Amino acid sequence: ITGQVEMFAMPNVPADEVRYYAVRNGERTLIGTAGLTQKVSWTPPSDGEWMIYAAAYSQGTPVVATEPIYVRAYLGPTYGPQPIVEKSRFKDFAANLAVASYRETGMSAALQVAQAILETGWGQYVPVDKYTGKFSNNLFGIKGEGSAGSIVSTTWEVYNGQSYTVDAEFRAYNDPRESWQDHKDLLLTRPWYEVFREVMSDPVLGAWGLRKGGYATDPEYPTKLIRIMKENNLFELDVIQF
């Protein structure tokens, strides 16, 4: 948590109000009291680990409480994504890396560029560490630890049809070429991407193969990639001489 948050709880038993509590170092503080359809706002008073929970009351008597939620509060400066090159240069920047990779691996250059465009917003939103500002050089949104360690960045995921905003660790690299190579190594070696490798030379089938292999949680990931390739004439990148 880096600032104010809103909380809402709906009891599954008869009640007339919900009280929200924050606990730190064994000391409980009442955040606020609200009706059953109302939200309560809370800004952590200090950095550190907190436990939050809600309790439903009926005529002043507690009747049920939620499981505790453990959060970490950070109220210092935060950093957002940064560009890697000017937006007008990103297509050529990515195409040079993609065509070289296509010649080496047979993986569609059009699809590689589309992924980089989608994951970074045309190179303008490359993840940096939310708390330190460390630049990741990560062009494909790959989580984990890279050649230069990792960074913590805010992202969104889709689970069971619901979107969630979460902090996650992303791989960091010394330069963008390492990111490009790591992306290829991931897709060419992990067993769950076998379904992708079978069609990776075809940009459209490859887009669906990425989704089937579990590359992204966004159910619209393949259609977004295909639209990017169509709208930006990326298919021509695959028409090259080996």
Coordinates of all heavy atoms in Angstrom, one line a residue, residues 76-137:
G76 N 6.9 6.3 1.0 CA 8.0 7.1 0.4 C 7.7 7.4 -1.1 O 6.6 7.0 -1.6
P77 N 8.7 7.9 -1.8 CA 8.5 8.1 -3.2 C 8.4 6.8 -4.0 O 9.0 5.8 -3.6 CB 9.8 8.9 -3.6 CG 10.8 8.5 -2.6 CD 10.0 8.3 -1.3
T78 N 7.6 6.9 -5.1 CA 7.5 5.7 -5.9 C 7.8 6.1 -7.4 O 7.8 7.3 -7.7 CB 6.1 5.1 -5.9 OG1 5.1 6.1 -6.2 CG2 5.8 4.5 -4.5
Y79 N 8.2 5.1 -8.2 CA 8.6 5.4 -9.6 C 7.8 4.5 -10.5 O 7.4 3.4 -10.2 CB 10.1 5.0 -9.7 CG 11.0 5.7 -8.8 CD1 11.2 5.2 -7.5 CD2 11.6 6.9 -9.1 CE1 12.1 5.9 -6.6 CE2 12.5 7.6 -8.2 CZ 12.7 7.1 -7.0 OH 13.5 7.7 -6.1
G80 N 7.5 5.1 -11.7 CA 6.7 4.5 -12.7 C 7.5 4.1 -13.9 O 8.7 4.4 -14.0
P81 N 6.9 3.4 -14.9 CA 7.6 3.0 -16.1 C 8.3 4.1 -16.8 O 7.8 5.3 -16.7 CB 6.5 2.3 -16.9 CG 5.4 2.0 -16.0 CD 5.5 3.0 -14.9
Q82 N 9.4 3.8 -17.5 CA 10.1 4.8 -18.3 C 10.3 4.3 -19.7 O 10.3 3.1 -20.0 CB 11.5 5.0 -17.6 CG 11.4 5.6 -16.2 CD 10.9 7.0 -16.2 OE1 11.3 7.8 -17.1 NE2 10.1 7.4 -15.2
P83 N 10.5 5.3 -20.7 CA 10.7 4.9 -22.1 C 12.1 4.3 -22.3 O 13.1 4.7 -21.6 CB 10.5 6.2 -22.8 CG 10.8 7.3 -21.8 CD 10.3 6.7 -20.5
I84 N 12.3 3.5 -23.3 CA 13.6 3.0 -23.6 C 14.2 3.7 -24.8 O 15.4 3.9 -25.0 CB 13.6 1.5 -23.8 CG1 15.0 0.9 -23.8 CG2 12.8 1.1 -25.1 CD1 15.0 -0.6 -23.6
V85 N 13.3 4.1 -25.8 CA 13.6 5.0 -26.9 C 12.4 5.8 -27.2 O 11.3 5.6 -26.7 CB 14.0 4.2 -28.2 CG1 15.3 3.4 -27.9 CG2 12.9 3.3 -28.6
E86 N 12.5 6.8 -28.1 CA 11.4 7.6 -28.5 C 10.4 6.6 -29.2 O 10.7 5.7 -29.9 CB 11.8 8.7 -29.5 CG 12.7 9.7 -28.9 CD 14.1 9.4 -29.0 OE1 14.4 8.2 -29.3 OE2 15.0 10.3 -28.8
K87 N 9.1 6.9 -29.0 CA 8.0 6.1 -29.6 C 8.2 5.9 -31.1 O 8.0 4.8 -31.6 CB 6.7 6.7 -29.2 CG 5.5 5.8 -29.7 CD 4.2 6.4 -29.3 CE 3.0 5.6 -29.7 NZ 1.7 6.1 -29.3
S88 N 8.5 7.0 -31.8 CA 8.7 7.0 -33.2 C 9.8 6.0 -33.7 O 9.8 5.6 -34.9 CB 8.9 8.4 -33.8 OG 10.1 8.9 -33.3
R89 N 10.7 5.7 -32.8 CA 11.9 4.9 -33.2 C 11.7 3.4 -32.8 O 12.5 2.6 -33.1 CB 13.1 5.5 -32.5 CG 13.6 6.8 -33.1 CD 14.8 7.3 -32.3 NE 15.9 6.2 -32.3 CZ 16.8 6.1 -31.3 NH1 16.7 6.9 -30.3 NH2 17.7 5.1 -31.3
F90 N 10.6 3.2 -32.0 CA 10.6 1.9 -31.3 C 10.4 0.7 -32.3 O 10.9 -0.4 -32.2 CB 9.5 1.8 -30.3 CG 9.5 0.5 -29.5 CD1 10.5 0.3 -28.6 CD2 8.5 -0.5 -29.7 CE1 10.5 -0.9 -27.8 CE2 8.6 -1.7 -29.0 CZ 9.6 -1.9 -28.1
K91 N 9.5 1.0 -33.4 CA 9.3 -0.1 -34.3 C 10.6 -0.5 -35.0 O 10.9 -1.8 -35.1 CB 8.3 0.4 -35.4 CG 8.0 -0.7 -36.5 CD 7.0 -0.2 -37.5 CE 6.8 -1.2 -38.6 NZ 5.8 -0.8 -39.6
D92 N 11.4 0.4 -35.5 CA 12.7 0.0 -36.1 C 13.6 -0.6 -35.1 O 14.3 -1.6 -35.4 CB 13.3 1.3 -36.7 CG 12.5 1.7 -37.9 OD1 11.8 0.9 -38.5 OD2 12.7 2.9 -38.3
F93 N 13.6 0.0 -33.9 CA 14.5 -0.6 -32.8 C 14.2 -2.0 -32.5 O 15.1 -2.9 -32.5 CB 14.2 0.3 -31.5 CG 14.8 -0.3 -30.3 CD1 16.2 -0.1 -29.9 CD2 14.1 -1.0 -29.4 CE1 16.7 -0.6 -28.8 CE2 14.6 -1.5 -28.2 CZ 15.9 -1.3 -27.9
A94 N 12.9 -2.4 -32.4 CA 12.5 -3.7 -32.1 C 12.6 -4.6 -33.4 O 13.0 -5.8 -33.3 CB 11.0 -3.8 -31.7
A95 N 12.4 -4.1 -34.6 CA 12.4 -4.9 -35.8 C 13.9 -5.4 -36.0 O 14.1 -6.5 -36.5 CB 12.0 -4.1 -37.0
N96 N 14.9 -4.6 -35.7 CA 16.3 -5.0 -35.9 C 16.6 -6.2 -35.1 O 17.2 -7.2 -35.5 CB 17.2 -3.8 -35.6 CG 17.2 -2.7 -36.6 OD1 16.9 -3.0 -37.8 ND2 17.5 -1.5 -36.2
L97 N 16.1 -6.2 -33.8 CA 16.3 -7.3 -33.0 C 15.5 -8.6 -33.4 O 16.0 -9.7 -33.4 CB 16.0 -7.0 -31.5 CG 16.9 -5.9 -30.9 CD1 16.2 -5.4 -29.6 CD2 18.3 -6.4 -30.6
A98 N 14.3 -8.3 -33.8 CA 13.4 -9.4 -34.2 C 13.8 -10.1 -35.4 O 13.7 -11.3 -35.5 CB 11.9 -8.8 -34.3
V99 N 14.2 -9.4 -36.5 CA 14.6 -10.0 -37.7 C 15.8 -10.9 -37.5 O 15.9 -12.0 -38.1 CB 14.8 -8.9 -38.8 CG1 15.4 -9.6 -40.1 CG2 13.5 -8.3 -39.2
A100 N 16.8 -10.4 -36.7 CA 18.0 -11.2 -36.5 C 17.6 -12.5 -35.7 O 18.1 -13.5 -36.0 CB 18.9 -10.4 -35.6
S101 N 16.6 -12.4 -34.8 CA 16.2 -13.5 -34.1 C 15.4 -14.5 -35.0 O 15.5 -15.7 -34.9 CB 15.3 -13.1 -32.9 OG 14.8 -14.2 -32.2
Y102 N 14.6 -13.9 -35.9 CA 13.9 -14.7 -36.9 C 14.8 -15.6 -37.7 O 14.6 -16.8 -38.0 CB 13.0 -13.8 -37.7 CG 12.1 -14.5 -38.8 CD1 11.6 -15.8 -38.6 CD2 11.8 -13.9 -40.0 CE1 10.8 -16.4 -39.5 CE2 11.0 -14.4 -40.9 CZ 10.5 -15.7 -40.7 OH 9.7 -16.3 -41.6
R103 N 15.9 -15.0 -38.2 CA 16.8 -15.7 -39.0 C 17.5 -16.8 -38.2 O 17.8 -17.9 -38.8 CB 17.9 -14.7 -39.5 CG 17.4 -13.7 -40.6 CD 18.6 -13.1 -41.2 NE 18.2 -12.2 -42.4 CZ 18.2 -10.9 -42.3 NH1 18.6 -10.3 -41.3 NH2 17.8 -10.2 -43.4
E104 N 17.7 -16.6 -37.0 CA 18.4 -17.6 -36.1 C 17.5 -18.7 -35.7 O 17.9 -19.9 -35.6 CB 19.0 -16.9 -34.9 CG 19.7 -17.8 -33.9 CD 20.2 -17.1 -32.7 OE1 20.2 -15.9 -32.7 OE2 20.7 -17.8 -31.8
T105 N 16.2 -18.4 -35.3 CA 15.3 -19.3 -34.7 C 14.1 -19.8 -35.5 O 13.5 -20.8 -35.2 CB 14.8 -18.8 -33.4 OG1 13.9 -17.7 -33.6 CG2 16.0 -18.3 -32.5
G106 N 13.7 -18.9 -36.5 CA 12.5 -19.2 -37.2 C 11.2 -18.7 -36.5 O 10.1 -18.9 -37.0
M107 N 11.4 -18.0 -35.4 CA 10.3 -17.4 -34.7 C 9.8 -16.1 -35.4 O 10.7 -15.2 -35.6 CB 10.6 -17.2 -33.2 CG 9.5 -16.7 -32.4 SD 10.0 -16.3 -30.7 CE 10.8 -17.9 -30.2
S108 N 8.6 -16.0 -35.7 CA 8.1 -14.9 -36.4 C 8.5 -13.5 -35.9 O 8.4 -13.2 -34.7 CB 6.5 -14.9 -36.4 OG 6.0 -13.6 -36.8
A109 N 9.2 -12.7 -36.7 CA 9.6 -11.4 -36.3 C 8.5 -10.5 -36.1 O 8.5 -9.7 -35.2 CB 10.6 -10.8 -37.4
A110 N 7.4 -10.6 -36.9 CA 6.2 -9.8 -36.7 C 5.6 -10.0 -35.3 O 5.3 -9.1 -34.6 CB 5.2 -10.1 -37.8
L111 N 5.6 -11.3 -34.9 CA 5.0 -11.6 -33.6 C 5.9 -11.1 -32.5 O 5.4 -10.5 -31.5 CB 4.8 -13.1 -33.5 CG 4.2 -13.6 -32.2 CD1 2.8 -12.9 -32.0 CD2 4.0 -15.1 -32.2
Q112 N 7.2 -11.2 -32.6 CA 8.1 -10.7 -31.6 C 7.9 -9.2 -31.4 O 7.9 -8.7 -30.3 CB 9.6 -11.0 -32.0 CG 9.9 -12.5 -32.0 CD 11.4 -12.7 -32.4 OE1 12.3 -12.1 -31.8 NE2 11.6 -13.5 -33.4
V113 N 7.9 -8.4 -32.5 CA 7.7 -7.0 -32.4 C 6.4 -6.6 -31.8 O 6.3 -5.7 -30.9 CB 7.9 -6.3 -33.8 CG1 7.6 -4.8 -33.7 CG2 9.3 -6.5 -34.3
A114 N 5.3 -7.3 -32.2 CA 4.0 -7.1 -31.7 C 4.0 -7.3 -30.1 O 3.4 -6.5 -29.4 CB 3.0 -7.9 -32.3
Q115 N 4.7 -8.3 -29.7 CA 4.7 -8.6 -28.3 C 5.4 -7.4 -27.5 O 5.0 -7.0 -26.5 CB 5.4 -9.9 -28.0 CG 4.5 -11.1 -27.8 CD 5.2 -12.2 -27.0 OE1 6.1 -12.9 -27.5 NE2 4.8 -12.4 -25.8
A116 N 6.5 -7.0 -28.1 CA 7.3 -5.9 -27.4 C 6.5 -4.6 -27.4 O 6.5 -3.9 -26.4 CB 8.6 -5.7 -28.2
I117 N 5.7 -4.4 -28.5 CA 4.9 -3.2 -28.5 C 3.8 -3.3 -27.5 O 3.5 -2.3 -26.7 CB 4.2 -3.0 -29.9 CG1 5.3 -2.6 -30.9 CG2 3.1 -2.0 -29.9 CD1 4.8 -2.6 -32.4
L118 N 3.1 -4.4 -27.4 CA 2.0 -4.6 -26.4 C 2.5 -4.6 -25.0 O 1.9 -3.9 -24.1 CB 1.3 -5.9 -26.7 CG 0.2 -6.3 -25.8 CD1 -0.9 -5.2 -25.9 CD2 -0.4 -7.7 -26.2
E119 N 3.6 -5.2 -24.7 CA 4.1 -5.3 -23.4 C 4.7 -4.0 -22.8 O 4.7 -3.7 -21.6 CB 5.2 -6.4 -23.2 CG 4.7 -7.8 -23.5 CD 3.8 -8.3 -22.4 OE1 3.8 -7.7 -21.3 OE2 3.2 -9.4 -22.5
T120 N 5.2 -3.1 -23.7 CA 5.8 -1.9 -23.3 C 5.1 -0.6 -23.8 O 5.6 0.5 -23.5 CB 7.3 -1.8 -23.8 OG1 7.3 -1.7 -25.2 CG2 8.1 -3.0 -23.4
G121 N 4.0 -0.7 -24.5 CA 3.3 0.5 -25.0 C 4.2 1.3 -25.9 O 4.5 2.4 -25.7
W122 N 4.7 0.6 -27.0 CA 5.7 1.2 -27.9 C 7.0 1.7 -27.2 O 7.5 2.7 -27.6 CB 5.0 2.3 -28.7 CG 4.0 1.8 -29.6 CD1 2.6 1.6 -29.4 CD2 4.1 1.5 -31.0 NE1 2.0 1.1 -30.5 CE2 2.9 1.0 -31.5 CE3 5.3 1.5 -31.9 CZ2 2.7 0.6 -32.8 CZ3 5.1 1.0 -33.2 CH2 3.8 0.6 -33.7
G123 N 7.4 0.9 -26.3 CA 8.7 1.2 -25.6 C 8.6 2.4 -24.7 O 9.7 2.8 -24.1
Q124 N 7.4 2.9 -24.4 CA 7.3 4.0 -23.5 C 7.1 3.7 -22.0 O 7.1 4.5 -21.1 CB 6.2 4.9 -24.0 CG 6.3 5.4 -25.4 CD 7.7 6.0 -25.7 OE1 8.0 7.1 -25.2 NE2 8.5 5.3 -26.4
Y125 N 6.8 2.4 -21.8 CA 6.4 2.0 -20.4 C 7.2 0.7 -20.0 O 6.6 -0.3 -19.7 CB 4.9 1.7 -20.3 CG 4.1 2.9 -20.6 CD1 3.6 3.1 -21.9 CD2 3.9 3.9 -19.7 CE1 2.8 4.2 -22.2 CE2 3.1 5.1 -20.0 CZ 2.6 5.2 -21.3 OH 1.9 6.3 -21.6
V126 N 8.5 0.8 -20.0 CA 9.4 -0.3 -19.6 C 9.4 -0.2 -18.1 O 9.7 0.8 -17.5 CB 10.8 -0.1 -20.2 CG1 11.7 -1.2 -19.7 CG2 10.7 -0.1 -21.7
P127 N 9.2 -1.4 -17.4 CA 9.1 -1.4 -15.9 C 10.4 -0.9 -15.3 O 11.5 -1.2 -15.7 CB 8.9 -2.9 -15.6 CG 8.3 -3.5 -16.9 CD 9.0 -2.7 -18.0
V128 N 10.2 -0.2 -14.2 CA 11.3 0.2 -13.3 C 10.9 -0.2 -11.9 O 9.7 -0.5 -11.6 CB 11.6 1.7 -13.3 CG1 11.9 2.2 -14.7 CG2 10.5 2.5 -12.7
D129 N 11.9 -0.3 -11.0 CA 11.6 -0.7 -9.7 C 10.7 0.4 -9.0 O 11.1 1.6 -9.0 CB 12.8 -0.9 -8.8 CG 12.5 -1.6 -7.5 OD1 12.1 -0.9 -6.6 OD2 12.6 -2.8 -7.4
K130 N 9.6 0.0 -8.5 CA 8.6 1.0 -7.9 C 9.2 1.7 -6.8 O 8.8 2.9 -6.5 CB 7.4 0.2 -7.5 CG 6.3 1.0 -6.9 CD 5.1 0.1 -6.6 CE 3.9 0.8 -6.0 NZ 2.8 -0.1 -5.8
Y131 N 10.2 1.2 -6.1 CA 10.7 1.8 -4.8 C 12.1 2.4 -5.0 O 12.5 3.2 -4.2 CB 10.7 0.7 -3.7 CG 9.3 0.2 -3.5 CD1 9.0 -1.1 -3.9 CD2 8.3 0.9 -3.0 CE1 7.7 -1.7 -3.7 CE2 7.0 0.4 -2.8 CZ 6.7 -0.9 -3.2 OH 5.5 -1.4 -3.0
T132 N 12.9 1.9 -6.0 CA 14.2 2.4 -6.2 C 14.4 3.2 -7.5 O 15.4 3.9 -7.6 CB 15.2 1.3 -6.1 OG1 15.1 0.4 -7.2 CG2 15.0 0.5 -4.8
G133 N 13.6 2.9 -8.5 CA 13.7 3.6 -9.8 C 14.7 2.8 -10.7 O 15.0 3.3 -11.8
K134 N 15.1 1.6 -10.3 CA 16.1 0.8 -11.1 C 15.4 0.5 -12.4 O 14.3 -0.1 -12.4 CB 16.5 -0.4 -10.4 CG 17.4 -1.4 -11.2 CD 17.7 -2.6 -10.4 CE 18.5 -3.6 -11.2 NZ 18.8 -4.9 -10.4
F135 N 16.0 0.7 -13.6 CA 15.5 0.4 -14.9 C 15.7 -1.0 -15.2 O 16.8 -1.6 -15.0 CB 16.2 1.3 -15.9 CG 15.5 1.3 -17.3 CD1 14.3 1.9 -17.4 CD2 16.1 0.7 -18.4 CE1 13.6 2.0 -18.7 CE2 15.5 0.7 -19.6 CZ 14.2 1.4 -19.8
S136 N 14.7 -1.7 -15.8 CA 14.7 -3.1 -16.0 C 15.2 -3.6 -17.4 O 15.7 -4.7 -17.5 CB 13.4 -3.8 -15.7 OG 12.5 -3.4 -16.8
N137 N 15.1 -2.8 -18.4 CA 15.3 -3.2 -19.8 C 14.5 -4.4 -20.2 O 14.8 -5.1 -21.1 CB 16.8 -3.5 -20.0 CG 17.7 -2.3 -20.1 OD1 17.5 -1.5 -21.0 ND2 18.7 -2.2 -19.2

